[in-house]
Amino acid sequence: MEAIHPVFCTIVPPHVLDKLARAEDPALAGPARRTLEADAQQRTHRRLTTVIGAPSLAPSPGAADNKVHRLIHDAQHKTDLPGKVVRKEGAEPFKDATVNRAYAGLGATFELLLKAFGRNSIDGEGMPLIASVHFDRDYGNAFWDGEQMVFGDGDGEIFLDFTLPVDVMGHELAHGVTQHTANFSYFGQPGALNESMSDVIGSLVKQYVNDQTAAEADWLIGQGLLAERVQGVALRSMKAPGTAYDDDVLGKDPQPATMDDYVTTGRDNGGVHINSGIPNHAFYLLADALGGKAWERAGQIWYDTLTAGTLSTTPTFADFAQATVAASRARYHDGEETQALLKAWEQVGVPTTQKKAKL
Amino acid sequence: MLIQVVRTGGFAGIERRAEIDTSGRPDAHEWHALAGEAAAAGRGLRMPGAAIPDGFSYEITVDGQTFHCAEPQLSDAQRELISRVLKEGA
């Protein structure tokens, strides 16, 4: 079905605009340049939001009532965000299962944050949860752009639809929570902590949805995301980092479980998806030692640490570990929680005592 | 013309790389135009400083000249070049 559209600047691809903006005729160059500037401004705004944290906006509609406000968009296989609104809060299920999974996953994450930690949405003030699905074509990724979640359909060869695992949706939304709280920078150890926090919350969402104890949970991230031909069960394992996949095309899961195997690399923003295995495993060890529902005590300590306001935006693993100990002592004193926590960090080789002077 | 693409980051954190040698290809001029446009959009941008969480980052090298770009700040030409090299390249 081919419709003829009038030419709007907004639907002209940037590379055409680039050319037009350089045109000698000001009637052509002017509008093109303005569109490019507007586009660049929007991107810069998003970039700044992820770097310096979100500005405080006017109170959201959900601020007062502790209710979720979801808005699911269909990017319609294009790359303009957010795309077309297809399901608003309270609307009936849509004819598209991907849309409905995103709606449910965002709802589950909102509920965990509220019920377990008393947090009202990403910003604590009822911020609407915005997601776009069907981003681009065969797009094997999901990301948080500073303001919303974005999910691809996968290429079908290696990755399936990124809305399939609920923990992936929790993971992306948790990036928003981190941005609005401790705002760990996305590089090196702070970046790996940012990633780990998202894996922890993502896994807790899955456990919460399935009403599982720490012993019952699979502690996998992205289980169900890999296509059938891939040799692997998931993308990461918090219980056994480094064992999630071993495949001809994907290679082997590179995650370390302890500091002995810490990976120094400039790739992947300094290995943020690699070394996150270490704090991930520490969380697992704590939750496993305590037993019961992982979000109740282990999750509470992690959430307290994230929101305590005592960490810089560039903490090392050791800084973070020390802050978890402080958070645990504040809530549980020297009880079994704190004892298990100290042991967990010791097992992964991250010191919890201050040895070095603060920079 | 040798066009190399390295993709890092992403939710999976798995690196992918591919390259295309356009010499002798019937569509070589098309590749050259696309690579030129992608590079023009990447010029002046340094290595992206603060990547967005789980976003892909790209390092693109055209005949030894390297530029960087990252999701979601990709021009259409960059997006097309990346997708074609990763799909058709070796």
Side-chain angles (χ1 to χ4, degrees):
Chain A
M1 188 178 69
E2 279 290 316
I4 296 171
H5 295 286
V7 179
F8 293 112
C9 278
T10 47
I11 59 164
V12 178
H15 65 272
V16 176
L17 288 172
D18 282 343
K19 253 184 225 150
L20 285 173
R22 288 194 299 269
E24 305 231 327
D25 182 351
L28 286 177
R33 191 179 291 267
R34 278 194 296 279
T35 305
L36 282 171
E37 280 167 1
D39 201 29
Q41 189 181 17
Q42 195 195 351
R43 288 186 308 227
T44 305
H45 169 72
R46 273 204 297 262
R47 170 65 61 92
L48 283 172
T49 306
T50 55
V51 176
I52 60 177
S56 40
L57 304 163
S60 304
D65 58 4
N66 276 350
K67 285 208 177 98
V68 63
H69 291 266
R70 288 164 286 189
L71 206 51
I72 314 295
H73 300 77
D74 185 347
Q76 298 176 307
H77 305 291
K78 298 194 180 89
T79 55
D80 302 317
L81 292 171
K84 182 185 166 204
V85 175
V86 284
R87 192 169 174 195
K88 290 183 183 175
E89 188 58 45
E92 292 296 306
F94 191 64
K95 58 185 185 246
D96 179 342
T98 301
V99 169
N100 297 331
R101 271 195 301 270
Y103 185 86
L106 265 50
T109 308
F110 181 90
E111 196 179 317
L112 170 82
L113 291 173
L114 185 65
K115 297 277 168 65
F117 310 131
R119 183 177 189 82
N120 183 6
S121 191
I122 288 175
D123 63 348
E125 293 176 6
M127 176 175 162
L129 305 180
I130 301 169
S132 298
V133 300
H134 303 311
F135 179 78
D136 207 348
R137 282 191 187 281
D138 301 326
Y139 195 74
N141 200 21
F143 61 91
W144 166 257
D145 86 342
E147 294 181 352
Q148 67 156 97
M149 287 145 274
V150 182
F151 301 98
D153 292 335
D155 51 15
E157 293 283 317
I158 295 171
F159 295 118
L160 305 176
D161 188 329
F162 274 70
T163 62
L164 284 168
V166 72
D167 46 279
V168 172
M169 290 185 277
H171 175 109
E172 294 310 325
L173 203 151
H175 277 309
V177 176
T178 297
Q179 180 184 314
H180 281 268
T181 53
N183 200 24
F184 300 142
S185 68
Y186 203 66
F187 193 87
Q189 290 195 15
L193 289 165
N194 192 323
E195 267 305 308
S196 177
M197 192 57 77
S198 274
D199 278 353
V200 164
I201 293 178
S203 182
L204 290 180
V205 171
K206 181 174 177 182
Q207 294 173 39
Y208 184 82
V209 165
N210 295 327
D211 196 29
Q212 289 170 326
T213 63
E216 289 162 350
D218 62 19
W219 295 97
L220 296 171
I221 301 299
Q223 190 264 326
L225 184 61
L226 296 173
E228 212 172 308
R229 48 158 288 198
V230 179
Q231 298 289 313
V233 289
L235 284 176
R236 293 185 278 278
S237 168
M238 299 175 68
K239 185 174 181 172
T243 66
Y245 60 87
D246 189 353
D247 181 76
D248 289 348
V249 178
L250 282 186
K252 189 184 175 302
D253 176 359
Q255 282 212 314
T258 72
M259 289 303 284
D260 285 345
D261 298 316
Y262 184 88
V263 178
T264 303
T265 175
R267 292 170 188 165
D268 182 32
N269 294 300
V272 296
H273 293 89
I274 299 172
N275 292 315
S276 55
I278 297 166
N280 274 1
H281 195 53
F283 182 84
Y284 162 77
L285 291 170
L286 170 65
D288 182 57
L290 295 178
K293 303 289 167 59
W295 60 86
E296 286 176 357
R297 292 186 288 168
Q300 187 69 59
I301 293 169
W302 251 242
Y303 181 76
D304 286 351
T305 306
L306 185 70
T307 53
T310 53
L311 285 168
S312 76
T313 56
T314 54
T316 61
F317 285 178
D319 294 336
F320 181 81
Q322 284 160 27
T324 62
V325 174
S328 181
R329 288 218 164 99
R331 192 177 278 273
Y332 302 111
H333 313 288
D334 278 319
E336 62 166 335
E337 294 84 357
T338 304
Q339 296 312 313
L341 177 66
L342 291 168
K343 210 167 154 191
W345 285 119
E346 195 190 333
Q347 279 178 264
V348 301
V350 175
T352 47
T353 46
Q354 268 165 333
K355 277 183 194 144
K356 58 181 177 84
K358 268 264 176 227
L359 290 173
Chain B
M1 180 182 271
L2 184 66
I3 308 169
Q4 297 158 297
V5 172
V6 182
R7 186 185 79 191
T8 63
F11 186 90
I14 295 168
E15 186 172 299
R16 257 197 84 186
R17 49 176 72 222
E19 62 179 50
I20 271 213
D21 188 351
T22 64
S23 51
R25 288 181 68 115
D27 57 352
H29 67 282
E30 209 180 288
W31 282 100
H32 297 179
L34 186 60
E37 265 183 62
R43 215 167 284 142
L45 288 177
R46 292 154 143 267
M47 177 78 183
I52 55 162
D54 297 321
F56 285 135
S57 297
Y58 299 94
E59 184 184 283
I60 302 172
T61 307
V62 180
D63 278 344
Q65 290 258 31
T66 298
F67 65 95
H68 296 91
C69 50
E71 194 74 75
Q73 302 181 299
L74 298 177
S75 75
D76 280 11
Q78 289 171 345
R79 204 177 281 284
E80 191 186 334
L81 180 71
I82 288 161
S83 126
R84 287 191 61 184
V85 172
L86 290 181
K87 203 173 279 175
E88 300 169 41

